Amino acid sequence: MEGPDDRTKPCPFCGEPIRLNAIKCRFCNEMLTGLHPGDRVVPRVATRKPSALRRVVGALVLAGLLYVGFQTLHAALTPHAGGGETPLGALREAIATPQVVVDEEVAVDAGGWQARSFRLSSAGPIQVTAEGRKDTDKGFNVFVMSASELPNLEQDTTFSHVPDLQGLKIRSFSKTATLPAGDWTVVVMNSENILRTMVVRLRVVVDPGD
C-alpha cells in the first residue's frame, strides 16, 4: 500500500515525478521550498551614485575647461600688439583657396574697352593678369575700380581706380593687391591700336597664394 511519503507530483521546473514533500528535485536539482518557475532570484547589481566631492570636482574641471576655451577664443580674436592680423586671420590666409573669378580672352575693339565685374564677400588679395594675344604690339591699358566708378568711365569722365592694379601701355601684366569687400570691375582698354581689334587674355584670382 502506498504511504503519504510515496505520493509524487511533477517537478514545476523539469516535469519529472518527485515526492510530494520533496524540497529539492533529484533530476534538475532545483530547490522547491515555496518557489515556482517564475520565482527565480535574479541578482541585482549595486550602483553607486557619485559622491558630493566627486560632483564638486567634476564641476570645477568643467569650469576650468570652459575658462581655457574662452581665453583661447579671446586671444584668437584680439589683434597682436603693434597691429597686424589676428591668429584667425593668419589661419584664413594659410588655408585660403584660390578662386578664379575671371578667366577669358577679351576682344577689345579699336579705341574701345571691355569690362568684367566680380564681387568680394570679404576683404582679401586679388591677382590680375593680362596677356596680349593678338594685335597688342602697341600695348593696352588695365584698370581695376569699384563698380560704382564704371558709369564715369562710360561717360568718358574722370574715374577713380586702384593704383596698385594699374597697367598703362603694357603687353603683359600681373599684379596683386588687397581690396575691401564689395563689387569691383576690371577694365581692359584699347587706346593705342585705333585700327584693329585686339585680343587680351584676362584672369582675376581671389586669394592667389604665393
Side-chain angles (χ1 to χ4, degrees):
M1 182 176 178
E2 188 181 68
D5 293 339
D6 296 329
R7 290 181 293 174
T8 60
K9 62 180 180 179
C11 172
F13 296 98
C14 65
E16 296 292 335
I18 58 176
R19 290 183 180 180
L20 190 64
N21 59 353
I23 62 175
K24 182 178 181 181
C25 176
R26 63 191 180 91
F27 296 100
C28 64
N29 294 320
E30 289 284 352
M31 299 299 296
L32 308 173
T33 53
L35 295 177
H36 298 285
D39 295 336
R40 296 178 185 269
V41 178
V42 178
R44 296 179 62 186
V45 178
T47 58
R48 295 181 60 188
K49 294 183 179 180
S51 65
L53 178 59
R54 287 187 178 182
R55 289 197 296 269
V56 171
V57 172
L60 291 176
V61 171
L62 178 60
L65 292 175
L66 291 175
Y67 176 78
V68 171
F70 174 79
Q71 292 297 323
T72 301
L73 179 61
H74 182 267
L77 295 176
T78 302
H80 296 296
E85 61 183 350
T86 65
L88 285 182
L91 178 61
R92 176 186 178 278
E93 291 295 329
I95 65 176
T97 302
Q99 179 185 3
V100 179
V101 294
V102 177
D103 189 7
E104 62 178 292
E105 288 192 348
V106 179
V108 189
D109 293 338
W113 52 269
Q114 286 275 9
R116 297 295 183 267
S117 298
F118 59 94
R119 171 171 292 181
L120 294 179
S121 58
S122 60
I126 70 163
Q127 181 184 52
V128 178
T129 302
E131 296 285 345
R133 293 298 175 86
K134 182 181 178 182
D135 293 325
T136 58
D137 53 302
K138 294 182 180 180
F140 55 89
N141 299 336
V142 174
F143 302 98
V144 174
M145 65 190 72
S146 171
S148 62
E149 290 292 324
L150 188 59
N152 294 329
L153 176 64
E154 294 173 337
Q155 297 169 15
D156 198 21
T157 60
T158 302
F159 60 87
S160 298
H161 61 281
V162 181
D164 291 341
L165 296 175
Q166 171 186 274
L168 300 177
K169 297 182 180 181
I170 45 94
R171 298 180 185 179
S172 179
F173 173 92
S174 182
K175 290 187 178 182
T176 302
T178 298
L179 299 180
D183 294 321
W184 296 91
T185 299
V186 56
V187 176
V188 178
M189 185 176 294
N190 180 0
S191 60
E192 303 303 316
N193 193 334
I194 61 175
L195 298 177
R196 296 181 180 180
T197 297
M198 65 173 54
V199 177
V200 176
R201 182 60 182 267
L202 181 63
R203 181 179 172 91
V204 179
V205 181
V206 179
D207 289 324
D210 296 331

